[in-house]
Amino acid sequence: MKLTSLPKNGLSLDYYYYDDGGMDDSENSLPSDFVSLIDVWYKGHALYSKVIWGIPSSDSANGWFYNYPFRIDLSQHSAENNENNNGDVFLSTVSGVSPVPSMEQERKDGKLWRELNDGVKLSWIVVNKKMKRAVNLTSWHPLSGQRHWPTDADFVLRFGSVLPAKEVLPCQVAECILLMKFRVTGMGGEEAGEPSTLALTELSMQIQDMGGVHLNGRCSLLLLKEALSCHRSRNYDEVLESCNLYLKAQSELKEEKIRSECRFDTLCVFSGIAIFAAICTMWYRKF
């Protein structure tokens, strides 16, 4: 088994290609073997539920799914299966949140942002029908997020888990990233006691290695298959600790990469100075 990168115009793309070295395809999991069971809660109330058979857009005849970045986007999946969406995809609506007088006020106190972080929970269970096993790939509670991005009315929550990748990636671990985006559709009124209204506009899954590289479909299927047989825990503190350790190692890797690049830049500068000095010396001696 080996990992290589797919070249394009002499450059490496930002996803991995998995070369199975002649492995029998019957031993690998197919996209049709997987079933996703997704549930979203807000303050204990069911907000959104979805069952996806197989992996969307993986049945292309040219096999692009296996060689391009892996991503499951439920907003696109819902749009394809909703004839009356009129170009707008709203997976569900959250009601009952505190009124937001204005986005300027929300930027100052962050009350709505705290409510989303404390109240939203996500469960994304992946089932392999062939193996007859299941695993929940989410951290239940948000691990991080970003408010007022990409617009003032958008709030992004990031869930995830650490996946083993001993036989797939050099770093031997990867991160399953689950992104959920809410958009404020109604500000509400504090004086009238009207709650604000939010729409769940995005829910997606993707897998990255420790360097932040998006994995392709072939690699991702192997990781999902391996996750079904690895150690799992229902202890949120243990899950949170593993994610924090992963982020710490990822940060150290980035810092080491930056230091290496700085050392290389310094070496190039001194080499350039030395070459310039040598040329000047030769020119001076010649004349």
Side-chain angles (χ1 to χ4, degrees):
M1 300 179 183
K2 64 179 181 179
L3 283 169
T4 58
S5 57
L6 289 176
K8 182 178 181 181
N9 299 329
L11 300 176
S12 296
L13 297 181
D14 59 344
Y15 50 88
Y16 282 117
Y17 168 71
Y18 180 81
D19 185 358
D20 57 14
M23 181 183 293
D24 185 2
D25 289 339
S26 63
E27 298 179 5
N28 296 332
S29 294
L30 300 174
S32 57
D33 295 334
F34 293 92
V35 180
S36 293
L37 310 176
I38 302 103
D39 293 286
V40 180
W41 293 274
Y42 179 71
K43 293 185 177 180
H45 299 285
L47 172 65
Y48 173 77
S49 295
K50 186 72 176 180
V51 178
I52 299 180
W53 297 90
I55 297 179
S57 304
S58 62
D59 55 353
S60 177
N62 57 12
W64 68 268
F65 166 80
Y66 292 97
N67 299 321
Y68 281 78
F70 172 83
R71 179 182 174 89
I72 299 178
D73 193 333
L74 293 192
S75 61
Q76 293 180 358
H77 182 73
S78 297
E80 293 172 357
N81 293 278
N82 184 2
E83 297 179 354
N84 300 318
N85 62 79
N86 296 323
D88 296 325
V89 181
F90 294 101
L91 302 182
S92 189
T93 303
V94 183
S95 298
V97 296
S98 300
V100 180
S102 66
M103 283 302 166
E104 289 297 328
Q105 183 65 32
E106 170 59 24
R107 283 182 178 275
K108 294 179 181 179
D109 56 34
K111 186 176 181 180
L112 175 60
W113 177 241
R114 289 194 300 271
E115 286 193 13
L116 290 177
N117 275 276
D118 296 338
V120 176
K121 293 183 180 180
L122 171 65
S123 173
W124 191 312
I125 299 175
V126 173
V127 181
N128 188 300
K129 297 182 294 182
K130 183 184 296 183
M131 298 175 63
K132 296 182 179 180
R133 292 186 178 183
V135 61
N136 197 334
L137 298 176
T138 183
S139 52
W140 287 93
H141 300 276
L143 297 174
S144 62
Q146 190 171 3
R147 57 175 176 161
H148 307 299
W149 187 90
T151 69
D152 283 346
D154 291 321
F155 297 81
V156 180
L157 300 177
R158 177 168 174 159
F159 302 78
S161 58
V162 179
L163 305 181
K166 294 181 180 180
E167 301 295 332
V168 184
L169 300 177
C171 57
Q172 299 188 353
V173 288
E175 182 182 16
C176 179
I177 300 174
L178 305 166
L179 295 179
M180 183 186 302
K181 183 168 72 175
F182 290 92
R183 176 168 297 170
V184 177
T185 57
M187 301 295 290
E190 190 169 3
E191 296 181 356
E194 298 178 356
S196 300
T197 305
L198 284 77
L200 175 58
T201 58
E202 180 181 331
L203 184 55
S204 63
M205 174 199 291
Q206 56 189 0
I207 301 178
Q208 296 181 356
D209 73 348
M210 191 170 287
V213 177
H214 293 268
L215 303 185
N216 65 9
R218 191 182 305 274
C219 260
S220 298
L221 289 183
L222 291 170
L223 290 182
L224 291 178
K225 181 180 178 181
E226 190 169 347
L228 293 164
S229 305
C230 71
H231 169 71
R232 287 162 284 179
S233 175
R234 294 183 179 180
N235 188 332
Y236 175 70
D237 292 333
E238 184 178 350
V239 174
L240 185 61
E241 181 182 3
S242 66
C243 291
N244 289 335
L245 289 174
Y246 179 89
L247 294 176
K248 181 180 179 181
Q250 187 180 49
S251 178
E252 293 175 352
L253 181 65
K254 290 181 179 179
E255 292 176 359
E256 178 60 30
K257 183 178 180 180
I258 293 175
R259 286 194 294 267
S260 298
E261 291 176 350
C262 290
R263 287 194 292 265
F264 179 76
D265 292 341
T266 303
L267 179 62
C268 290
V269 170
F270 280 110
S271 298
I273 294 175
I275 293 173
F276 178 76
I279 293 175
C280 291
T281 302
M282 292 176 60
W283 182 83
Y284 177 78
R285 290 179 178 178
K286 184 176 180 180
F287 294 96

